[in-house]
Amino acid sequence: MKKLLGTAVVLLTLLPSPAVAHRLDEYLQATIFSIDADRIDASMRLVPGVAVAPAIIASIDTDGDGVLSPAEQRAYAQRVLHDLALKLDDRPLTLQLSSVNFPSIDQMKQGLGEIQLSFTASTGSGAHRTLTFENRHWPSISVYLVNSLVPQDEKVQIAQQSRNENQSFYQLDFVQDPAGPRLNRFPGFSGFAGAYRLGL
């Protein structure tokens, strides 16, 4: 999972600057999926702008002592997961939090810190699959980005992706154990599956 998060961060930094830039009054939430034959891994980067950072910090630092304790960090991470809806073939998936990483409060106040979360879900077997994802965390101040990495598992091929205008909703169609040639495998390419459509 650490490898997934690191890869996602590196790939995001390689995108044009508008993909990672956001206004001071916005809460950027970028989600990256990795699809395997029996599981889905995901990483999230949550970056509060300077103007909204105090509200975000207050929602995490519930005792107001100026320190984000491990318990407060995990509680906030669980609240984020509660605001996410991940379904496979219209069946809700249970999200398991696998790692959390929080910046210091000072970094967040300066607009330099980003919260990093990762989670996973088991998918079971199937042929033609449809994954849907909805992010409802802090909708009044947030901008959303979402994409999938090209699968490393040769048994999985991505067919198509779609998003709504602000990318709070995402749909991914993929096939497991495909009989035909791969649709998304290009020699020497292991980055994002398809174009990264910005909603900023």
Side-chain angles (χ1 to χ4, degrees):
M1 180 55 67
K2 290 182 178 179
K3 181 178 180 181
L4 167 64
L5 182 58
T7 301
V9 171
V10 169
L11 288 171
L12 277 175
T13 60
L14 294 177
L15 294 172
S17 57
V20 292
H22 64 292
R23 296 182 300 187
L24 300 181
D25 60 349
E26 293 176 336
Y27 191 16
L28 174 64
Q29 302 183 42
T31 306
I32 303 295
F33 288 102
S34 177
I35 312 297
D36 289 317
D38 59 354
R39 61 184 285 163
I40 295 171
D41 293 320
S43 64
M44 293 187 69
R45 298 169 58 241
L46 300 97
V47 189
V50 172
V52 300
I56 303 299
I57 293 168
S59 72
I60 305 171
D61 184 21
T62 53
D63 61 9
D65 66 352
V67 177
L68 304 182
S69 69
E72 289 173 329
Q73 294 178 26
R74 194 162 189 88
Y76 181 73
Q78 292 292 350
R79 291 204 300 274
V80 173
L81 261 60
H82 182 267
D83 291 337
L84 307 179
L86 188 66
K87 296 181 180 180
L88 185 62
D89 304 327
D90 289 326
R91 178 178 60 87
L93 297 178
T94 300
L95 307 183
Q96 299 292 332
L97 186 66
S98 49
S99 70
V100 298
N101 184 35
F102 279 68
S104 68
I105 285 181
D106 286 341
Q107 288 175 314
M108 294 177 69
K109 288 180 177 178
Q110 298 173 40
L112 302 176
E114 63 179 49
I115 301 166
Q116 299 176 351
L117 309 178
S118 57
F119 59 89
T120 187
S122 298
T123 61
S125 59
H128 299 274
R129 320 299 302 271
T130 297
L131 179 76
T132 58
F133 171 70
E134 186 173 3
N135 187 343
R136 297 186 291 264
H137 187 60
W138 282 86
S140 62
I141 60 173
S142 294
V143 292
Y144 306 99
L145 297 174
V146 59
N147 206 0
S148 294
L149 298 176
V150 170
Q152 297 300 307
D153 192 328
E154 294 290 335
K155 297 179 180 179
V156 179
Q157 83 178 19
I158 290 177
Q160 63 180 0
Q161 305 176 85
S162 61
R163 307 162 177 84
N164 66 354
E165 185 175 355
N166 72 351
Q167 297 198 41
S168 62
F169 180 84
Y170 174 71
Q171 180 170 308
L172 174 71
D173 296 315
F174 65 97
V175 181
Q176 294 183 220
D177 293 317
R182 292 184 60 87
L183 300 178
N184 63 347
R185 182 67 61 183
F186 300 95
F189 178 76
S190 59
F192 287 125
Y196 197 92
R197 175 177 173 271
L198 300 180
L200 303 183

